[in-house]
Coordinates of all heavy atoms in Angstrom, one line a residue:
V1 N 100.5 69.4 102.3 CA 100.5 70.1 103.6 C 99.1 70.8 103.8 O 98.6 71.4 102.8 CB 101.6 71.2 103.7 CG1 101.5 71.9 105.1 CG2 103.0 70.5 103.6
Q2 N 98.5 70.6 104.9 CA 97.2 71.1 105.2 C 97.2 72.5 105.8 O 97.9 72.6 106.8 CB 96.4 70.1 106.0 CG 95.0 70.5 106.2 CD 94.1 70.1 105.1 OE1 94.5 69.3 104.2 NE2 92.9 70.8 104.9
Q3 N 96.5 73.4 105.3 CA 96.3 74.7 106.0 C 94.8 74.7 106.5 O 93.9 74.9 105.7 CB 96.5 75.9 105.1 CG 96.4 77.2 105.8 CD 96.4 78.4 104.8 OE1 96.1 78.3 103.7 NE2 96.8 79.6 105.4
D4 N 94.6 74.4 107.8 CA 93.3 74.3 108.3 C 92.6 75.6 108.4 O 91.4 75.7 108.3 CB 93.4 73.6 109.6 CG 93.8 72.1 109.5 OD1 93.4 71.5 108.5 OD2 94.6 71.6 110.3
E5 N 93.3 76.7 108.7 CA 92.7 78.0 108.9 C 93.2 78.8 107.7 O 94.4 78.8 107.4 CB 93.2 78.7 110.2 CG 92.8 78.0 111.4 CD 93.2 78.7 112.6 OE1 92.6 79.7 113.1 OE2 94.3 78.4 113.2
R6 N 92.2 79.5 107.0 CA 92.6 80.4 105.9 C 93.1 81.7 106.5 O 92.3 82.6 106.7 CB 91.4 80.6 105.0 CG 90.7 79.4 104.6 CD 91.5 78.4 103.8 NE 90.7 77.2 103.5 CZ 90.7 76.1 104.2 NH1 91.5 76.0 105.3 NH2 90.0 75.1 103.9
R7 N 94.4 81.8 106.7 CA 95.0 83.0 107.3 C 96.1 83.6 106.5 O 97.0 84.2 107.0 CB 95.5 82.6 108.7 CG 94.5 82.0 109.6 CD 94.8 82.1 111.1 NE 94.6 83.4 111.5 CZ 94.9 83.8 112.8 NH1 95.3 83.0 113.7 NH2 94.7 85.1 113.2
G8 N 95.9 83.5 105.1 CA 96.8 84.2 104.2 C 98.0 83.4 103.7 O 98.2 82.3 104.1
T9 N 98.6 84.0 102.7 CA 99.7 83.3 102.0 C 100.9 83.0 102.8 O 101.6 82.0 102.6 CB 100.1 84.1 100.7 OG1 100.4 85.5 101.1 CG2 99.0 84.2 99.7
Y10 N 101.3 83.9 103.7 CA 102.5 83.6 104.5 C 102.1 82.5 105.5 O 103.0 81.6 105.7 CB 102.9 84.9 105.3 CG 104.2 84.7 106.1 CD1 105.4 84.7 105.5 CD2 104.1 84.4 107.5 CE1 106.5 84.5 106.3 CE2 105.2 84.2 108.2 CZ 106.5 84.2 107.6 OH 107.6 84.0 108.3
H11 N 101.0 82.6 106.1 CA 100.6 81.5 107.0 C 100.5 80.2 106.3 O 100.9 79.1 106.8 CB 99.2 81.8 107.6 CG 98.7 80.8 108.5 ND1 97.9 79.8 108.1 CD2 98.8 80.6 109.8 CE1 97.5 79.0 109.2 NE2 98.1 79.5 110.2
A12 N 100.1 80.2 105.0 CA 100.1 78.9 104.3 C 101.5 78.4 104.0 O 101.7 77.2 104.2 CB 99.4 79.2 102.9
L13 N 102.4 79.3 103.7 CA 103.8 78.8 103.5 C 104.4 78.3 104.7 O 105.2 77.3 104.7 CB 104.7 80.0 102.9 CG 106.1 79.6 102.6 CD1 106.3 78.5 101.6 CD2 106.9 80.9 102.2
V14 N 104.1 78.9 105.9 CA 104.7 78.4 107.2 C 104.3 77.0 107.5 O 105.0 76.3 108.1 CB 104.3 79.4 108.3 CG1 104.6 78.8 109.6 CG2 105.0 80.7 108.1
Q15 N 103.1 76.6 107.0 CA 102.7 75.2 107.2 C 103.7 74.2 106.6 O 103.8 73.0 107.1 CB 101.3 74.9 106.7 CG 100.3 75.9 107.1 CD 100.3 76.2 108.6 OE1 100.1 75.3 109.4 NE2 100.5 77.5 108.9
A16 N 104.5 74.6 105.6 CA 105.4 73.7 105.0 C 106.9 74.0 105.4 O 107.8 73.4 104.9 CB 105.4 73.9 103.4
K17 N 107.0 74.8 106.4 CA 108.4 75.2 106.9 C 109.3 74.1 107.1 O 110.5 74.1 106.7 CB 108.2 76.0 108.1 CG 109.5 76.5 108.8 CD 109.2 77.4 110.0 CE 110.5 77.8 110.7 NZ 110.2 78.6 111.9
N18 N 108.9 73.0 107.7 CA 109.8 71.9 108.1 C 110.3 71.0 106.9 O 111.1 70.1 107.1 CB 109.1 71.0 109.1 CG 108.9 71.8 110.5 OD1 109.7 72.7 110.8 ND2 107.9 71.3 111.2
L19 N 109.7 71.3 105.7 CA 110.1 70.5 104.5 C 111.3 71.1 103.8 O 111.8 70.5 102.8 CB 108.9 70.4 103.6 CG 107.6 69.8 104.2 CD1 106.5 69.7 103.2 CD2 108.0 68.4 104.8
F20 N 111.8 72.2 104.2 CA 112.9 72.9 103.5 C 114.2 72.7 104.2 O 114.3 72.9 105.4 CB 112.6 74.3 103.3 CG 111.3 74.6 102.6 CD1 110.3 75.3 103.3 CD2 111.0 74.1 101.4 CE1 109.0 75.5 102.8 CE2 109.7 74.3 100.8 CZ 108.8 75.0 101.5
E21 N 115.3 72.4 103.5 CA 116.6 72.3 104.1 C 117.3 73.6 104.2 O 117.1 74.5 103.4 CB 117.5 71.3 103.2 CG 116.9 69.9 103.1 CD 117.0 69.2 104.4 OE1 117.8 69.5 105.3 OE2 116.2 68.2 104.6
E22 N 118.2 73.8 105.2 CA 119.0 75.0 105.3 C 119.8 75.2 104.1 O 120.5 74.3 103.6 CB 119.8 74.9 106.6 CG 120.5 76.2 107.0 CD 119.4 77.2 107.4 OE1 118.5 76.8 108.2 OE2 119.5 78.4 107.1
G23 N 119.9 76.4 103.5 CA 120.7 76.7 102.4 C 120.1 76.4 101.1 O 120.6 76.9 100.0
E24 N 118.9 75.7 101.0 CA 118.3 75.4 99.8 C 117.2 76.5 99.4 O 116.6 77.1 100.3 CB 117.5 74.1 99.9 CG 118.5 72.9 100.0 CD 119.3 72.6 98.8 OE1 118.8 72.9 97.7 OE2 120.5 72.3 99.0
R25 N 117.1 76.7 98.1 CA 116.1 77.7 97.7 C 114.9 76.9 97.2 O 114.9 75.7 96.9 CB 116.6 78.5 96.5 CG 117.8 79.4 96.9 CD 118.2 80.3 95.8 NE 118.7 79.5 94.6 CZ 118.9 80.0 93.4 NH1 118.7 81.3 93.2 NH2 119.3 79.2 92.4
F26 N 113.7 77.6 97.2 CA 112.5 77.0 96.7 C 111.6 78.0 96.1 O 111.6 79.2 96.5 CB 111.8 76.3 97.9 CG 111.6 77.1 99.1 CD1 110.5 77.9 99.3 CD2 112.6 77.1 100.1 CE1 110.3 78.7 100.4 CE2 112.4 77.9 101.3 CZ 111.3 78.7 101.4
F27 N 110.8 77.6 95.1 CA 109.9 78.5 94.5 C 108.6 78.4 95.3 O 108.2 77.4 95.8 CB 109.6 78.0 93.1 CG 110.6 78.5 92.0 CD1 111.4 77.6 91.5 CD2 110.6 79.8 91.7 CE1 112.4 78.0 90.6 CE2 111.6 80.2 90.7 CZ 112.5 79.3 90.2
V28 N 107.8 79.5 95.3 CA 106.5 79.6 95.9 C 105.6 80.2 94.8 O 105.9 81.2 94.2 CB 106.4 80.4 97.2 CG1 105.0 80.6 97.7 CG2 107.4 79.8 98.2
L29 N 104.5 79.6 94.6 CA 103.6 79.9 93.5 C 102.2 80.0 93.9 O 101.7 79.0 94.6 CB 103.8 79.0 92.3 CG 103.1 79.3 91.0 CD1 103.7 80.6 90.4 CD2 103.4 78.1 90.0
Y30 N 101.4 81.1 93.6 CA 100.0 81.1 93.8 C 99.4 80.1 92.9 O 99.7 80.0 91.7 CB 99.4 82.4 93.6 CG 99.8 83.5 94.5 CD1 99.6 84.9 94.2 CD2 100.5 83.3 95.7 CE1 99.9 85.9 95.1 CE2 100.9 84.3 96.6 CZ 100.6 85.6 96.3 OH 101.0 86.6 97.1
G31 N 98.4 79.3 93.4 CA 97.8 78.2 92.7 C 96.9 78.5 91.6 O 96.4 77.6 91.0
S32 N 96.6 79.8 91.4 CA 95.6 80.2 90.4 C 96.2 81.2 89.4 O 95.4 81.9 88.8 CB 94.3 80.6 91.0 OG 94.6 81.7 91.8
T33 N 97.5 81.4 89.4 CA 98.1 82.3 88.5 C 99.2 81.6 87.6 O 100.0 80.9 88.0 CB 98.9 83.4 89.3 OG1 97.9 84.1 90.1 CG2 99.5 84.5 88.3
I34 N 99.0 81.8 86.3 CA 99.9 81.2 85.3 C 101.1 82.2 85.0 O 100.8 83.4 84.7 CB 99.2 80.9 84.0 CG1 98.0 80.0 84.3 CG2 100.1 80.2 83.0 CD1 97.1 79.8 83.1
H35 N 102.3 81.7 85.1 CA 103.5 82.4 84.8 C 104.3 81.7 83.7 O 104.0 80.6 83.4 CB 104.4 82.6 86.0 CG 103.9 83.5 87.1 ND1 103.0 83.1 88.1 CD2 104.1 84.8 87.3 CE1 102.7 84.0 88.9 NE2 103.3 85.1 88.4
A36 N 105.2 82.5 83.1 CA 106.0 81.9 82.0 C 107.2 81.1 82.5 O 107.8 81.6 83.6 CB 106.5 83.0 81.1
R37 N 107.6 80.1 81.9 CA 108.8 79.4 82.3 C 110.0 80.3 82.3 O 110.9 80.1 83.1 CB 109.0 78.1 81.4 CG 110.1 77.3 81.9 CD 110.2 76.0 81.1 NE 109.0 75.1 81.5 CZ 108.9 73.9 81.0 NH1 109.8 73.3 80.3 NH2 107.8 73.2 81.4
E38 N 110.1 81.2 81.3 CA 111.2 82.1 81.3 C 111.3 82.9 82.6 O 112.4 83.3 83.0 CB 111.0 83.1 80.1 CG 111.2 82.4 78.7 CD 109.9 81.8 78.2 OE1 108.9 81.7 79.0 OE2 109.9 81.5 77.0
D39 N 110.2 83.2 83.2 CA 110.3 84.0 84.4 C 110.8 83.2 85.6 O 111.5 83.7 86.4 CB 108.9 84.5 84.8 CG 108.5 85.6 83.8 OD1 109.3 86.4 83.3 OD2 107.3 85.7 83.5
F40 N 110.5 81.9 85.6 CA 111.2 81.0 86.6 C 112.7 81.0 86.4 O 113.4 81.1 87.4 CB 110.6 79.6 86.5 CG 109.2 79.4 87.0 CD1 108.1 79.6 86.2 CD2 109.0 79.0 88.3 CE1 106.9 79.4 86.6 CE2 107.7 78.9 88.8 CZ 106.6 79.0 87.9
Q41 N 113.1 80.9 85.2 CA 114.5 80.8 84.9 C 115.2 82.1 85.3 O 116.3 82.1 85.8 CB 114.7 80.5 83.4 CG 114.2 79.2 82.9 CD 115.1 78.0 83.5 OE1 116.2 78.3 84.0 NE2 114.6 76.8 83.4
A42 N 114.6 83.3 85.0 CA 115.1 84.6 85.4 C 115.3 84.7 86.9 O 116.4 85.2 87.3 CB 114.2 85.7 84.9
C43 N 114.4 84.1 87.7 CA 114.5 84.2 89.1 C 115.8 83.4 89.6 O 116.5 83.8 90.6 CB 113.3 83.6 89.8 SG 111.8 84.6 89.7
L44 N 116.1 82.3 88.9 CA 117.2 81.5 89.3 C 118.6 82.2 89.3 O 119.6 81.7 89.9 CB 117.3 80.2 88.5 CG 116.1 79.2 88.7 CD1 116.2 78.1 87.7 CD2 116.2 78.6 90.1
Y45 N 118.7 83.3 88.6 CA 120.0 84.0 88.5 C 120.2 84.9 89.8 O 121.2 85.5 89.9 CB 120.0 85.0 87.3 CG 120.1 84.3 86.0 CD1 119.0 84.1 85.2 CD2 121.3 83.8 85.6 CE1 119.1 83.4 84.0 CE2 121.5 83.1 84.4 CZ 120.4 83.0 83.6 OH 120.5 82.3 82.4
H46 N 119.3 84.9 90.7 CA 119.4 85.6 92.0 C 119.2 84.7 93.2 O 118.5 83.7 93.1 CB 118.3 86.7 91.9 CG 118.3 87.6 90.7 ND1 119.2 88.6 90.6 CD2 117.6 87.5 89.6 CE1 119.0 89.2 89.3 NE2 118.0 88.5 88.7
P47 N 119.8 85.1 94.3 CA 119.5 84.3 95.5 C 118.1 84.2 96.0 O 117.6 83.2 96.4 CB 120.4 85.0 96.6 CG 121.4 85.8 95.8 CD 120.7 86.2 94.5

């Protein structure tokens, strides 16, 4: 998905809005920060 204007992280996510189904969850990750796989798993225990 292309973000033509650099207008922040929320604006970037909105560019992909139409790709998500109602009721489905999705991860969002900054592209230059490394996280642990355990932290992804911990998130999955919550809505």
Side-chain angles (χ1 to χ4, degrees):
V1 176
Q2 185 77 21
Q3 185 189 24
D4 292 320
E5 298 179 86
R6 310 298 178 266
R7 305 201 70 183
T9 51
Y10 184 82
H11 181 267
L13 179 59
V14 168
Q15 308 313 300
K17 177 180 178 179
N18 294 332
L19 301 182
F20 307 116
E21 299 292 335
E22 192 67 42
E24 294 294 323
R25 298 183 298 168
F26 50 90
F27 281 107
V28 177
L29 188 62
Y30 293 170
S32 58
T33 302
I34 305 171
H35 290 86
R37 183 170 296 186
E38 290 87 346
D39 289 325
F40 287 89
Q41 295 290 346
C43 289
L44 289 173
Y45 287 103
H46 307 279

